[in-house]
Amino acid sequence: MTDTLNRSHLISALYHEYQFLCHDDFDPDVDPTPDEYLQMLQSLTDDELIDESSADDIDEFIRHWL
């Protein structure tokens, strides 16, 4: 991540991506709610957040979802 894009930006981007994905394909019996997902994201390390994004370019991923 660059100096201008940081941990909070990545968490926000992952959260927005999750909200988008849940919009059409959410199963309350299996999937965490967006708030539960956000709490989980906040507990992850930076490396785990990067893995969670599955992105080759983290800066591009963040810019796309912010």
Side-chain angles (χ1 to χ4, degrees):
M1 287 180 278
T2 65
D3 292 336
T4 57
L5 298 175
N6 58 34
R7 176 186 173 81
S8 64
H9 291 119
L10 180 53
I11 289 172
S12 182
L14 285 162
Y15 178 70
H16 287 117
E17 177 193 42
Y18 188 74
Q19 285 182 309
F20 175 81
L21 295 172
C22 284
H23 185 267
D24 292 329
D25 191 26
F26 179 74
D27 181 352
D29 294 330
V30 179
D31 299 323
T33 66
D35 288 339
E36 291 169 337
Y37 185 69
L38 178 60
Q39 288 178 336
M40 185 271 303
L41 291 174
Q42 292 169 336
S43 72
L44 297 178
T45 66
D46 290 350
D47 287 339
E48 290 169 329
L49 288 169
I50 291 168
D51 288 344
E52 183 73 14
S53 75
S54 300
D56 292 330
D57 186 332
I58 295 301
D59 291 341
E60 183 179 316
F61 174 83
I62 291 171
R63 285 188 181 93
H64 177 77
W65 289 107
L66 282 184

